Amino acid sequence: MCGILAIIGRGKDEALVKQLSKRMSHRGPDESDLHVTENGHILSHERLSIIDLNTGKQPIQGTDKAWMVHNGEIYNHQELRDTVLKGHTFRTHSDSEVIVHLYEKFGYEFCQLLDGMFAFVVVNGDDYIAGRDPLGVKPLYYGLDERGRIYFASEMKALADQCQTFSTFPPGHYYTPQTGFVKYYRPKWEDAANAVETVNYDAIRQTLTQAVEKRLMSDVPVGVLLSGGLDSSLTSSIAARLMKEKGKELHSFSIGLDANAPDTVAAKRVAEFLGTQHHEIYFTIEQGIEILDKLIWHLETYDVTSVRASTPMYFLSEAIAQKGIKVVLSGEGADEIFGGYLYFRNAPSESDFQKETIERVQKLFTADLLRADKSTMAHGIEARVPFLDKKFLELAITIKPEEKQPKTYDGIEKYILRKAFDTPQQPYLPDSVLWRQKEQFSDGVGYNWIDTLIEYCSKMVTDEEMERAEERFPYNTPATKEAYYYRSVFSKHFPQRSAAQTVRKWIPKWQENTDPSGRANAAHIMADTAIAQMKLEV
């Protein structure tokens, strides 16, 4: 719901801090404010108004000297107000304000009480605490400047040229000057040995429904990103049912190169089935290539699959913002939880399958969550991800891996999820969508998108440059011309070594071709296993 910047330490020019914060104004176009504490620390906030439109302005003061800035949504804020914070006097109706009150009551030990997505900083005198949600749905960076001041910011661009060193704030942790980093989120699913539960299809359905319901919390209109794939279609179906009960209509949005793109066709079928107010958005390959520079500045990554998939998501978010919608539900997380990527069918063992699902969920903040947040927030849109609800994670990841990938399931990925919502009497989706093969977003908008992108990058990077790639980029050396081109654009905006070190590459396992396109897997119905390698010759 915003962009935050906090600087702990005296002497920073207030006008400069405002300029740094404004680099993130796309995250919070509605209003902006800054507070300098009695001890000289600075909190700045760029606001996207979603909850408490009238009085929820930040930074927010607690009952005394503590001040706070927060990015995200706390879905259980009313429950906290009615229980552990009963008796506290609140200044606003904002979900964010519970954070500063929890700090005042419990000290540092309160992050585990929050149900939501968040990145926050609370300052009280010279004491402070910064925290990030369990999976890293909301971004947060931290750094240190030449005078020892500590920075916290929603995006790297607000601190990269101010700090000598900086890094990504780890999800599921908080930081204080007394404790350093503390891992507060320790779910049992992180240990692969705990995946011993038998699947309960009713529980899967009920828990995901609850996860969607709480994410409809908003004082502004809510929409859904609908690609026509299983994940976004299920969240859309559940949301449509819940909103229909309240007499409300759901807006759905899809994007493709044209009306015949795989995702566009499937999304239209789902929208007609659900009765949503559907919007089809199109973009051209030329438009996509034209915005690569700006896109990478927004994304703050050079990861190939993130750039490929973020381009259509960027255009989609722009169109959604023009419709006046600020909140959307998205399907991120399901592929990681249930082993949905096509390469999972090549897992050497059930143990390897389970460990890979856990690692992919843990690393989501470097890939799909980064893309989902920064592509949407580039236009002041907040994306919410029901599949990463804490209760749903605990239920789904601890299911036995042999049930997630049964030997008799004929290669259908995410079998459990499909089975849970295969309810003929009250169908959630058409069978053709419910049992549709996995199509990665950057492929589904139209296969020509990736193919042409690879060709374009091959023309922009010479053979000589590729031969000297390791010399120019010794860290995370790009292996293809496409990767080299993205890295070059990234380095123009973020030349610091610390910046390059925040990026992790998304690479599929257990297949000969490691290009991140789903079509690089031989099991894809439109497989192109020579993708990328062949195109390098262009």
Side-chain angles (χ1 to χ4, degrees):
M1 57 178 264
C2 61
I4 64 173
L5 172 62
I7 301 176
I8 311 299
R10 299 166 180 78
K12 194 68 177 180
D13 180 67
E14 186 176 332
L16 174 59
V17 176
K18 288 182 179 179
Q19 293 177 16
L20 298 175
S21 185
K22 281 299 178 185
R23 294 176 181 176
M24 303 181 293
S25 60
H26 48 274
R27 297 187 67 89
D30 293 332
E31 58 184 343
S32 177
D33 204 1
L34 178 146
H35 176 74
V36 182
T37 71
E38 293 180 356
N39 295 45
H41 312 305
I42 303 178
L43 296 175
S44 186
H45 189 260
E46 308 295 326
R47 188 185 185 205
L48 178 67
S49 304
I50 292 175
I51 301 293
D52 187 9
L53 307 185
N54 298 320
T55 66
K57 191 174 183 179
Q58 296 188 38
I60 296 177
Q61 185 179 8
T63 55
D64 193 8
K65 296 182 179 180
W67 286 80
M68 177 222 65
V69 283
H70 163 236
N71 171 31
E73 302 293 343
I74 308 301
Y75 302 122
N76 66 335
H77 76 102
Q78 191 59 52
E79 178 187 346
L80 291 170
R81 288 170 182 255
D82 295 339
T83 55
V84 296
L85 296 177
K86 191 174 183 179
H88 280 238
T89 300
F90 288 83
R91 300 174 185 272
T92 75
H93 298 290
S94 169
D95 60 295
S96 302
E97 190 179 348
V98 297
I99 294 173
V100 68
H101 288 272
L102 288 171
Y103 164 82
E104 290 176 330
K105 180 166 183 175
F106 296 107
Y108 302 149
E109 298 295 331
F110 66 85
C111 289
Q112 66 276 9
L113 298 176
L114 298 172
D115 182 10
M117 52 183 186
F118 54 85
F120 69 82
V121 179
V122 179
V123 178
N124 182 27
D126 285 329
D127 188 33
Y128 64 91
I129 178 173
R132 191 177 182 189
D133 65 67
L135 274 299
V137 179
K138 284 291 147 186
L140 188 62
Y141 297 84
Y142 69 101
L144 194 68
D145 73 7
E146 78 287 350
R147 293 184 56 179
R149 289 176 291 227
I150 297 177
Y151 293 60
F152 299 97
S154 294
E155 295 189 359
M156 188 164 58
K157 57 183 64 68
L159 56 73
D161 59 355
Q162 303 295 305
C163 294
Q164 291 183 319
T165 59
F166 55 90
S167 188
T168 306
F169 196 103
H173 287 69
Y174 67 78
Y175 179 89
T176 78
Q178 282 72 32
T179 64
F181 282 103
V182 174
K183 181 175 172 62
Y184 70 85
Y185 184 58
R186 297 181 176 277
K188 69 176 185 178
W189 61 257
E190 286 188 320
D191 184 351
N194 289 327
V196 296
E197 302 297 330
T198 300
V199 63
N200 182 329
Y201 294 114
D202 288 338
I204 290 285
R205 198 162 50 248
Q206 293 167 7
T207 307
L208 185 58
T209 299
Q210 292 167 359
V212 171
E213 184 172 23
K214 71 176 69 170
R215 283 162 179 80
L216 295 176
M217 178 188 83
S218 177
D219 292 336
V220 296
V222 178
V224 290
L225 302 182
L226 179 56
S227 71
L230 176 68
D231 315 331
S232 66
S233 297
L234 278 180
T235 55
S236 298
S237 178
I238 296 169
R241 290 182 177 212
L242 293 170
M243 293 186 71
K244 187 176 181 180
E245 292 174 0
K246 300 178 181 179
K248 297 182 179 179
E249 186 178 45
L250 182 66
H251 286 259
S252 58
F253 298 86
S254 68
I255 189 165
L257 293 177
D258 54 45
N260 296 317
D263 279 359
T264 305
V265 173
K268 185 176 182 180
R269 187 180 304 129
V270 174
E272 291 174 349
F273 182 85
L274 300 179
T276 63
Q277 182 66 39
H278 191 55
H279 310 270
E280 288 184 4
I281 312 302
Y282 306 119
F283 75 104
T284 67
I285 293 173
E286 292 73 23
Q287 287 174 324
I289 289 173
E290 185 179 349
I291 60 110
L292 284 175
D293 188 284
K294 177 188 278 189
L295 179 74
I296 291 172
W297 179 81
H298 274 293
L299 291 180
E300 304 181 328
T301 185
Y302 48 83
D303 171 57
V304 169
T305 192
S306 295
V307 175
R308 289 176 178 177
S310 293
T311 308
M313 202 166 190
Y314 177 90
F315 287 120
L316 184 60
S317 300
E318 183 178 38
I320 292 170
Q322 291 171 356
K323 295 290 184 182
I325 290 177
K326 293 183 177 182
V327 178
V328 291
L329 302 188
S330 189
E332 274 72 26
D335 286 312
E336 289 74 14
I337 295 168
F338 294 102
Y341 297 111
L342 294 179
Y343 76 85
F344 270 94
R345 66 180 62 199
N346 301 329
S349 68
E350 292 168 352
S351 175
D352 289 309
F353 180 97
Q354 183 65 20
K355 290 177 180 177
E356 178 69 358
T357 62
I358 293 171
E359 183 177 350
R360 282 300 189 193
V361 171
Q362 291 173 325
K363 295 295 190 294
L364 266 169
F365 74 98
T366 69
D368 283 11
L369 287 180
L370 180 150
R371 167 183 55 80
D373 176 87
K374 292 181 181 177
S375 299
T376 54
M377 290 299 276
H379 298 288
I381 303 294
E382 178 180 275
R384 298 177 178 177
V385 285
F387 282 105
L388 297 181
D389 183 83
K390 286 193 293 185
K391 289 184 178 179
F392 188 75
L393 286 171
E394 201 65 29
L395 173 69
I397 301 183
T398 55
I399 296 170
K400 299 174 185 177
E402 58 264 34
E403 295 200 40
K404 294 178 187 174
Q405 193 184 35
K407 294 291 185 290
T408 58
Y409 79 140
D410 195 29
I412 298 296
E413 70 284 347
K414 291 180 285 194
Y415 176 81
I416 285 177
L417 194 57
R418 299 175 193 274
K419 184 72 173 176
F421 286 89
D422 190 358
T423 55
Q425 292 181 341
Q426 290 185 315
Y428 280 79
L429 294 170
D431 282 348
S432 61
V433 174
L434 185 64
W435 296 97
R436 181 188 177 200
Q437 187 184 65
K438 167 66 183 173
E439 189 79 85
Q440 288 176 215
F441 184 49
S442 52
D443 289 316
V445 296
Y447 296 148
N448 285 344
W449 166 237
I450 289 180
D451 294 345
T452 308
L453 198 54
I454 292 171
E455 292 175 3
Y456 171 80
C457 293
S458 295
K459 293 175 182 177
M460 298 298 292
V461 179
T462 67
D463 292 340
E464 290 75 20
E465 286 176 317
M466 277 304 299
E467 289 173 2
R468 304 184 67 175
E470 189 172 4
E471 181 180 330
R472 183 180 179 188
F473 302 117
Y475 176 82
N476 244 349
T477 304
T480 66
K481 288 186 177 181
E482 183 187 11
Y484 187 103
Y485 181 72
Y486 300 156
R487 182 66 178 275
S488 299
V489 175
F490 176 89
S491 297
K492 180 182 71 174
H493 295 298
F494 307 104
Q496 304 86 357
R497 181 175 177 82
S498 290
Q501 291 174 333
T502 65
V503 179
R504 296 292 180 271
K505 298 178 183 178
W506 194 101
I507 300 174
K509 288 184 178 179
W510 309 316
Q511 64 184 47
E512 184 176 349
N513 188 343
T514 58
D515 186 274
S517 167
R519 289 182 294 136
N521 190 289
H524 194 283
I525 57 173
M526 295 290 288
D528 180 7
T529 54
I531 194 169
Q533 284 97 324
M534 180 180 69
K535 304 299 190 297
L536 279 177
E537 304 300 325
V538 175

